[in-house]
Amino acid sequence: MKIRHKLTLRYTGATAIVFSLVVLVVYLFSEHSREKEFFRDLTREAVTKANLFLSDRVDAKTMQSIYRNNRQFIDEVEVAVYTTGFKLLYHDAQEIDIIKETPELIKNTIRKKELEFYEGNYQGIAMIYSYEGIDYVITAAAYDGYGYAKLNSLATLLIILWLSGLVILAILGYFLARGALQPVSRIVDEVDVISESNLDTRLAVKKEHDELDELSETFNQMLDRLEKSFDNQKMFISNVAHELRTPLAALSTELEVALLREQRTGEEYKVIITNALDDAKSLKHLITGLLDLAKANYDFSRIVTEELRLDELLLDAREMVLKANKNYSVDLIFDQNAEDDSMITVRGNAYLLKIAFVNLMENNCKFSDNKSSDVQISFFEKNAIVRFSDAGIGISKEELEKIFIPFYRGKNSTRTKGQGIGMTLTQRIIILHNGIITIHSHIGEGTTFVVEIPHI
């Protein structure tokens, strides 16, 4: 069942309950008013007849005759007059006797002064009436035919209004629900055409600051994340297909050369195996770099983070660099003494930050004649700052703009091995940690990478 139909049914159901309560209250109030009004009429009629009888202005036979004649056409009031000792003085029609008075009724009337009650469909009263200083008990009863007729007409009218009102409200509710959900239908139509081939499409936001705008904006944010994820996957697959081709081809060539001749010397096989091993190591480094690059594209909220001291991370990174490259030199310099450890403590992922720092240290060492990197640590109010400097060949202004492009290698890269992944990976890791990385370089003077990361 569609939402518009559910809303229509719920709206109609809720309205029906409220409408029914209103109709019921109107009916009950009308019935209560009819009842009270008729009890007052009975009292007036009883007093009038009792006064006529007790004052001898009309004799009993005449009054009884009038009652019997009127009873054929209207709901005439039957009145009886008793003494307080339960002696009958007058009765309109004793053979009919609607109330059927008893001594108990007379006693209750004397005690309570006035009673109102029902005898079947008839309403009745019993009351004390004083005439010339003497108390009498008067009873009166009649059927409120006119009142019930009006009440039945009212009930019929209320039922008609209830039914017609519900039909009108159901139709109105349907159109209101359809109008309210029209923007949702538009959103569904817009979403329906979005696929992996056009993830850059976004839902229109009307800036009305309602729930549908929030839905559209949330969906657009989800599309942003999906598009980024798809782009990362496409780039990763493209990078893998492109970059693995060369080392695999070189490895295959080395092995094919080994099979060209059946007879080879041990030295020749050693050279071939050494070359193949170098190609395999290069392939391993490339795969590791590609995997690290993929990890750096994750949502930061999905990465395990903890509070990390930058000095400890840099020491670990320095150890990793020196262990892999015996001829490299890395010096750590502290510009300031941190009295508060929080100034050099950041929240992040230790594995990724070590990769970034190792890449920067190795980049300094690769492109400097003395194979060294100077690492300076400082801090300010919000950020911890790490500078990685070398006195190497430097980077030209044109190449500075391309250094973070995946797999880009500058003109001076011919003197070193690499895949062009390290700097791209480093930048993404720093950005992932809400930091920034900048480069200052001059040809022949050296290069400095400045990393700024918010401390805790």
Side-chain angles (χ1 to χ4, degrees), residues 148-379:
Y148 281 119
K150 288 200 302 181
L151 195 63
N152 290 335
S153 297
L154 176 64
T156 302
L157 178 62
L158 290 175
I159 292 173
I160 293 173
L161 290 176
W162 185 81
L163 292 174
S164 58
L166 284 186
V167 172
I168 294 172
L169 288 172
I171 296 173
L172 181 62
Y174 174 78
F175 283 105
L176 288 175
R178 189 175 72 170
L181 294 174
Q182 192 66 37
V184 177
S185 300
R186 174 184 58 80
I187 292 175
V188 171
D189 293 337
E190 291 180 3
V191 171
D192 193 46
V193 299
I194 298 176
S195 63
E196 68 277 3
S197 61
N198 61 341
L199 278 175
D200 58 336
T201 304
R202 296 293 180 268
L203 303 182
V205 180
K206 293 187 175 182
K207 302 298 182 183
E208 294 180 357
H209 305 292
D210 56 11
E211 288 80 359
L212 293 176
D213 275 352
E214 292 179 4
L215 175 63
S216 297
E217 290 174 353
T218 302
F219 197 86
N220 286 340
Q221 292 171 4
M222 182 190 71
L223 287 175
D224 290 339
R225 294 191 294 270
L226 286 176
E227 184 180 15
K228 182 180 178 181
S229 178
F230 270 79
D231 288 344
N232 291 336
Q233 290 181 13
K234 289 179 182 178
M235 186 183 72
F236 179 75
I237 294 171
S238 176
N239 292 341
V240 170
H242 179 269
E243 296 302 322
L244 292 184
R245 187 183 298 113
T246 300
L248 283 174
L251 182 59
S252 298
T253 301
E254 293 290 344
L255 296 176
E256 288 172 358
V257 168
L259 295 174
L260 287 178
R261 290 206 324 260
E262 295 183 1
Q263 298 293 330
R264 285 186 180 275
T265 65
E267 189 64 30
E268 287 176 331
Y269 276 116
K270 184 177 180 181
V271 172
I272 292 172
I273 292 173
T274 301
N275 292 336
L277 184 59
D278 289 339
D279 291 335
K281 288 180 179 179
S282 177
L283 185 61
K284 176 185 175 183
H285 289 311
L286 178 58
I287 292 174
T288 301
L290 289 172
L291 291 174
D292 290 338
L293 188 60
K295 291 178 182 178
N297 288 320
Y298 291 165
D299 183 356
F300 191 72
S301 62
R302 298 175 57 189
I303 295 176
V304 177
T305 62
E306 56 184 324
E307 293 184 0
L308 305 166
R309 285 178 60 101
L310 281 177
D311 54 350
E312 295 176 355
L313 287 175
L314 290 167
L315 285 170
D316 291 342
R318 177 180 179 274
E319 184 178 350
M320 293 169 63
V321 171
L322 298 181
K323 185 176 181 180
N325 305 275
K326 302 298 183 183
N327 60 331
Y328 284 2
S329 173
V330 178
D331 294 326
L332 299 182
I333 304 169
F334 289 87
D335 287 350
Q336 302 164 266
N337 291 324
E339 296 179 359
D340 185 357
D341 289 344
S342 65
M343 304 299 284
I344 55 172
T345 302
V346 299
R347 173 162 288 280
N349 181 273
Y351 171 77
L352 292 176
L353 285 175
K354 285 179 186 178
I355 291 175
F357 295 158
V358 167
N359 286 339
L360 292 171
M361 292 176 183
E362 287 186 339
N363 194 84
N364 284 153
C365 296
K366 282 180 184 179
F367 296 101
S368 60
D369 293 332
N370 59 1
K371 304 298 180 183
S372 66
S373 173
D374 294 330
V375 182
Q376 296 174 292
I377 307 173
S378 58
F379 51 85

Side-chain angles (χ1 to χ4, degrees), residues 92-117:
D92 277 330
Q94 194 171 3
E95 69 278 8
I96 299 174
D97 196 16
I98 297 172
I99 294 181
K100 297 178 176 57
E101 295 83 353
T102 61
E104 290 77 11
L105 176 64
I106 301 300
K107 291 178 181 179
N108 286 335
T109 304
I110 294 172
R111 186 175 68 254
K112 296 183 178 180
K113 303 301 181 182
E114 186 173 351
L115 298 176
E116 293 179 349
F117 52 88

